[in-house]
């Protein structure tokens, strides 16, 4: 095959006269250019490492200090207080014939200046870390900033005034603190009080008290020791035990999806849309490698940890029998592509030059036009990544550890990311509400074998040019992939563009070698394993009910006029909706982030509180006047906002208890309290989808450039998964999931309850027409 010849730099044959080498100039040229590109990257990383390492200082500031020291000596001022003379006397004299007195003096001043400069950087960094440990600003009411917070803000701005690189703040971020056991247990008991009757609560209180007095002090000591030694006392254990050690399928249970822009369509040409999007993704990766992306900042000045972004590209989850691992490469120059049961390897570069969108469009069109059939066992191969992890690990070891199968699998696992070209068309039609749910289902699991669920993310392309992502969860959380997606969609719409006929701009290079078809040799035994994994995955996918809808009556504009946070408003509405749906309250999980701390990931906000249940019960009784209901709602809202802030500032409940539980397992200590806490099911799992992390365009001028967010599967078999995106001033998108196998849940029914709950709460704040 022609493409096979492009993959080697030289060929040789053994003849009677000896070995005959036939060198390929074109291949060697690409190898040379690739090497040059690699060395450029190394030099950029070295330069960035220096600039990042001296932040908030700079090489220029070092030069200023040296010049000030030298200048003062010419003015007969010794600002070193004699230290320059001491350094000069301590310099080795072995090379004295080649050193003049003036040279030794200049060298001494340079050493002194470097020491002063380095000491200053250390002092500024420690000061910045101390300032970033202050979180009092989060607990102050809007518009009522204290003098202390104002002084703090001025100091933060002064110390971070120089434009930072992506990882400039990493070493200045504070460590996640370990909360006091007594505070965590108090908050835990407070969170379960509305869910337990008096007898059950008393029993839990006794278990908690026994744990606090007898077991917790020993466990806490080990946890505090870890917090001193490790960068973050939670994140490594969270990644390993919550994600990598999970043996159930990733599809639906762990992976989540992200939708495209849903109110506009830039082009209907599938290959053209891919050309622009993938070019934008590699541009983003280049900025990531060069640290040219600005850190995400709260209030525009408090940096969020960026470490999760390191593994966005070139990362694959490798299955293991007991635990999986994450394989991350420093670089990858190709993507793996799936279309009609065939796998391809598509190069992103020609030598050191990134392919332009029109070239990429041509390459994808070649794949779309390729008439070759799948090889035996190839079509459903990716179902291995959708089934059980143990079965996949065993199959990988047995059938993919040598020969062409190993080479083809490595081409997928070493790719920058995975691309799935679907033959179906999905989009959001506002006139057809079901269209958004069908679109979400296609992104969540597809047909169970047309996504590579182990890749950090799979880019999904539908026949009509609509796109989406399916993301693996272990390497990072949703805001990280959201940052990439915002950049890509903004670049596609406002920087790259299309011709009038919907094609990428520019002219393609027809001399480019076509994408390479991956070759497999899959025996019957392996095909049987693939089919079993497919059946497991299909049963799981068929059981998922997904209901996605656009809520149009209002958005954050009206909610803010109610003098509450949009997130608290929606969370309390979810409590009201759930009570109407199930007739009872349940343990509720809302994800918040802890990225104000180094290597921080997430924390749980337990949204079902005594205050929110009191409001819901009052609403259900129907006998309270609106003023009383508003007061109850405001109390519930303030409680939720305070809990969210506590979670963000390291005073959450669940990560601390999770780590105490792990320490107890390591020590072989039995704790009935921790065992019960960690076994409680989250029947309502919720998450707000971040947006506008990058200001690539003015949303007021382009109100239709909105994605619909994304969603995930239900956490409990008899529970709901709800994600929502408060999209602008007048719109909210919801993604509600449940399981058909549960007779107690129904995603569409719950979605309708959410709609009504939002309207009923908003009605409490409406001024009666007679008074207007």
């Amino acid at each position: 095959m022609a493409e096979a010849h492009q993959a080697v730099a030289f060929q040789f044959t053994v003849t009677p006269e000896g070995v005959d080498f036939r060198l390929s100039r074109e291949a060697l040229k690409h190898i040379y250019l690739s090497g040059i590109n690699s060395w450029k990257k190394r030099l950029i990383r070295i330069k960035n490492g220096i600039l990042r390492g001296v932040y908030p200082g700079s090489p220029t500031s070092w030069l200023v200090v040296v010049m000030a020291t030298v200048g003062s000596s010419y003015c007969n001022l010794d600002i070193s207080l004699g230290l320059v003379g001491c350094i000069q006397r301590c310099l080795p004299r072995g090379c004295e014939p080649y050193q003049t007195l003036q040279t030794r003096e200049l060298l001494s001043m340079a050493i002194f200046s470097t020491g002063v400069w380095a000491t200053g950087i250390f002092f500024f960094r420690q000061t910045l870390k101390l300032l970033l440990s202050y979180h009092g600003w989060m607990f102050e009411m809007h518009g009522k900033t204290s003098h202390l917070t104002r002084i703090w803000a001025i100091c933060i701005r002064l110390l971070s005034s120089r434009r930072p690189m992506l990882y400039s703040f990493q070493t200045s971020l504070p460590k996640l603190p370990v909360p006091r056991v007594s505070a965590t247990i108090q908050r835990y008991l407070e969170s379960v009080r509305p869910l337990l009757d008096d007898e059950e609560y008393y029993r839990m209180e006794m278990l908690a008290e026994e744990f606090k007095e007898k077991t917790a002090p020993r466990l806490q000591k080990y946890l505090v020791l870890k917090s001193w030694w490790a960068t973050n006392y939670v994140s490594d254990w969270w990644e390993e035990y919550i994600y990598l050690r999970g043996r159930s399928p990733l599809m639906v249970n762990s992976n989540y999806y992200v939708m495209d822009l849903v109110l506009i369509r830039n082009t209907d040409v599938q290959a053209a849309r891919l050309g622009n999007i993938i070019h934008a993704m590699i541009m983003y990766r280049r900025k990531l490698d060069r640290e040219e992306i600005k850190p995400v900042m709260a209030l525009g000045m408090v940096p969020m940890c960026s470490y999760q972004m390191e593994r966005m590209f070139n990362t694959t989850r490798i299955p293991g029998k007991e635990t999986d691992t994450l394989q991350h490469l420093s670089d990858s120059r190709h993507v793996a592509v799936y279309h009609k049961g065939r796998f391809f390897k598509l190069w992103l570069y020609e030598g050191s030059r990134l392919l332009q969108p029109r070239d990429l469009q041509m390459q994808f069109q070649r794949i779309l036009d390729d008439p070759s059939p799948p090889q035996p066992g190839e079509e459903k191969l990716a179902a291995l990544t959708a089934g059980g992890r143990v079965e996949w690990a065993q199959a990988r070891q047995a059938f993919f550890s040598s020969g062409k199968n190993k080479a083809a699998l490595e081409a997928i696992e070493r790719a920058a990311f995975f691309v799935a070209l679907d033959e179906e068309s999905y989009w959001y039609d506002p006139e057809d509400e079901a269209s958004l749910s069908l679109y979400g289902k296609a992104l969540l699991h597809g047909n169970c074998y047309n996504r590579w669920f182990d890749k950090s993310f799979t880019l999904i392309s539908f026949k009509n040019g609509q796109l989406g992502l399916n993301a693996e969860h272990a390497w990072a959380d949703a805001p990280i992939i959201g940052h990439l997606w915002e950049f890509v969609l903004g670049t596609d719409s406002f920087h790259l563009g299309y011709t009038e006929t919907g094609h990428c701009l520019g002219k393609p290079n027809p001399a480019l070698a076509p994408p390479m078809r991956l070759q497999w040799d899959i025996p019957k035994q392996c095909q049987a394993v693939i089919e079993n994994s497919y059946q497991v995955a299909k049963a799981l996918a068929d059981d998922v009910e997904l209901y996605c809808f656009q809520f149009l009556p209002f958005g954050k504009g009206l909610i803010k006029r109610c003098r509450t946070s949009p997130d608290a408003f929606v969370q309390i509405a979810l409590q009201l909706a759930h009570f109407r749906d199930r007739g009872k309250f349940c343990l509720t999980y809302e994800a918040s982030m802890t990225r104000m701390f180094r290597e921080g990931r997430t924390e749980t906000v337990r949204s079902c509180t005594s205050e929110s249940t009191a409001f819901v019960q009052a609403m259900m009784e129907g006998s309270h006047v609106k003023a009383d209901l508003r007061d109850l709602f405001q109390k519930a809202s303030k409680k939720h906002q305070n809990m969210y802030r506590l979670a963000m500032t390291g005073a959450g409940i669940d990560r601390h208890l999770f780590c105490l539980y792990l320490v107890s397992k390591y020590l072989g200590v039995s704790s009935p309290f921790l065992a019960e806490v960690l076994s409680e099911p989250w029947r309502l799992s919720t998450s707000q989808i971040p947006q506008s992390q990058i200001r690539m365009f003015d949303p007021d001028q382009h109100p239709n450039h909105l994605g619909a967010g994304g969603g995930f599967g239900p956490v409990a078999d008899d529970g709901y998964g709800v994600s929502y995106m408060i999209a602008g001033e007048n719109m909210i998108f919801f993604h509600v999931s449940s399981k058909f196998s549960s007779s107690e849940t129904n995603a569409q029914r719950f979605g309708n309850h959410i709609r009504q709950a939002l309207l009923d709460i908003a009605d409490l704040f409406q001024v009666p027409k007679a008074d207007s």
Side-chain angles (χ1 to χ4, degrees), residues 448-463:
C448 303
Y449 58 79
N450 57 355
R451 317 275 182 260
W452 198 270
F453 293 100
D454 285 356
K455 289 301 290 183
S456 54
F457 64 89
T458 294
L459 174 63
I460 301 160
S461 168
F462 298 108
K463 198 173 184 68

Side-chain angles (χ1 to χ4, degrees), residues 14 62 67 75 119 179 215 288 297 301 304 320 322 325-326 347 396 411 433 478 530 550 561 600 631 686 688 734 758:
V14 179
W62 172 82
M67 291 176 67
C75 297
T119 303
T215 313
L288 201 62
M297 312 281 273
M301 62 180 180
M304 301 289 105
E322 294 183 0
T325 55
L326 287 175
W347 293 102
R396 190 177 189 276
E433 185 183 73
I530 292 171
Q550 182 183 15
R561 291 199 294 274
D631 288 342
T686 72
Q688 182 183 181
F734 284 92
L758 290 167

Side-chain angles (χ1 to χ4, degrees), residues 255-259 274 277-278 281 312 315 335-338 343 382 385 412 416-422 442-446 449-462 467-472 475 481 484-485:
N255 285 27
Y256 56 94
Y257 66 87
V258 184
M259 287 184 169
L274 279 167
I277 290 293
I278 289 182
M281 281 184 166
M312 188 178 297
T315 298
V335 292
V337 184
Y338 180 90
F343 290 87
T385 70
I412 295 173
F417 51 90
F418 194 80
V419 182
L421 309 183
D422 285 12
L443 295 175
L444 181 62
H445 52 67
Y449 58 79
N450 57 355
R451 317 275 182 260
W452 198 270
F453 293 100
D454 285 356
K455 289 301 290 183
S456 54
F457 64 89
T458 294
L459 174 63
I460 301 160
S461 168
F462 298 108
L467 300 173
L469 298 175
N470 183 288
E472 200 276 321
W475 63 275
I481 205 76
L484 162 72
W485 200 229

Side-chain angles (χ1 to χ4, degrees), residues 689-733:
I689 302 159
Q691 59 169 330
S692 300
Q693 297 182 80
I694 307 176
R695 301 287 294 185
M696 293 197 67
F697 61 90
D698 186 348
D700 295 330
Q701 294 183 11
H702 305 278
N704 288 333
H705 280 74
L706 281 176
F712 51 87
V715 173
D717 290 339
D718 58 347
Y720 291 110
V722 181
S723 67
Y724 53 93
M725 187 176 79
I726 303 169
E729 298 295 311
N730 303 301
M731 194 186 308
I732 308 175
F733 283 100

Side-chain angles (χ1 to χ4, degrees), residues 87-159:
I87 294 170
Q88 188 173 347
R89 287 191 294 273
C90 292
L91 288 176
R93 299 177 179 274
C95 301
E96 193 164 352
Y98 306 100
Q99 290 183 358
T100 64
L101 181 63
Q102 188 177 16
T103 303
R104 292 172 61 80
E105 188 177 359
L106 286 172
L107 182 58
S108 302
M109 287 188 283
I111 293 172
F112 167 77
S113 301
T114 302
V116 170
W117 178 70
T119 303
I121 289 173
F122 176 79
F123 172 76
F124 284 134
R125 277 193 172 184
Q126 293 305 309
T127 304
L128 186 58
K129 182 180 285 190
L130 186 65
L131 289 168
L132 292 175
S133 300
Y134 170 73
H135 300 121
W137 59 274
M138 290 194 67
F139 297 88
E140 295 179 352
M141 292 186 66
H142 185 66
K144 296 184 179 179
T145 307
S146 67
H147 292 300
L148 176 62
T149 298
R150 288 175 183 170
I151 294 169
W152 166 83
I154 292 169
C155 293
I156 286 281
R157 291 189 185 280
L158 286 174
L159 286 175

Side-chain angles (χ1 to χ4, degrees), residues 304-537:
M304 301 289 105
C305 180
S306 302
Y307 99 99
Q308 294 180 60
M309 302 175 85
E310 294 175 1
R311 298 182 294 184
M312 188 178 297
F313 295 93
N314 328 324
T315 298
T316 301
R317 181 167 171 157
I318 305 297
K321 293 180 181 178
E322 294 183 0
T323 182
D324 294 353
T325 55
L326 287 175
Q327 172 187 281
H328 174 68
L329 305 176
S330 61
D331 193 20
S332 177
R333 300 174 63 79
H334 72 277
V335 292
V337 184
Y338 180 90
H339 176 242
K340 282 189 175 180
R342 298 91 41 85
F343 290 87
F344 296 84
K345 181 178 182 179
L346 190 155
W347 293 102
L348 299 169
Y349 293 83
E350 183 188 17
S352 61
R353 183 183 68 87
L354 172 63
L355 294 184
Q356 294 303 302
R358 192 66 182 86
D359 292 329
L360 289 167
Q361 178 185 342
M362 179 188 68
Q363 296 291 65
F364 279 107
Q365 194 61 52
R366 285 173 168 176
I367 293 175
L368 292 169
D369 296 339
D370 188 323
S372 60
Q375 299 159 73
E378 182 182 18
E379 183 178 14
K380 295 183 180 179
L381 175 63
L384 289 170
T385 70
R389 303 305 294 171
V390 175
E391 294 78 7
W392 175 205
Q394 292 171 340
R396 190 177 189 276
Q397 185 176 5
F399 305 111
F400 298 91
S401 58
S402 62
K404 60 172 66 175
N405 287 350
K406 180 181 180 181
L409 181 61
E410 283 186 347
I412 295 173
E413 293 180 340
R414 299 175 72 86
F417 51 90
F418 194 80
V419 182
L421 309 183
D422 285 12
E423 286 297 291
E424 298 80 21
S425 292
Y426 290 99
W427 69 96
Y428 174 45
D429 180 2
E431 302 299 321
D432 179 14
E433 185 183 73
S435 62
L436 195 62
S437 302
L438 292 172
Y439 177 29
K441 280 274 282 183
L443 295 175
L444 181 62
H445 52 67
N447 62 15
C448 303
Y449 58 79
N450 57 355
R451 317 275 182 260
W452 198 270
F453 293 100
D454 285 356
K455 289 301 290 183
S456 54
F457 64 89
T458 294
L459 174 63
I460 301 160
S461 168
F462 298 108
K463 198 173 184 68
N464 59 347
Q466 198 76 4
L467 300 173
L469 298 175
N470 183 288
E472 200 276 321
H473 213 321
W475 63 275
D477 302 308
I480 305 302
I481 205 76
H483 194 278
L484 162 72
W485 200 229
E486 284 183 31
F487 175 89
V488 166
L489 294 180
T491 302
D492 173 47
S493 297
F494 299 101
H495 296 281
L496 297 178
Y498 300 88
T499 66
E500 292 182 359
T501 54
H503 293 279
C504 296
L505 301 175
K507 292 183 179 181
N509 176 12
L512 285 174
M516 185 176 73
R517 178 80 186 275
L518 299 184
Q519 300 299 310
W520 307 90
D521 182 13
I522 302 175
K524 293 289 185 182
Q525 304 96 310
C526 184
Q527 293 179 35
V529 176
I530 292 171
E531 184 61 29
N532 288 338
S533 290
Y534 169 66
Q535 293 301 330
V536 169

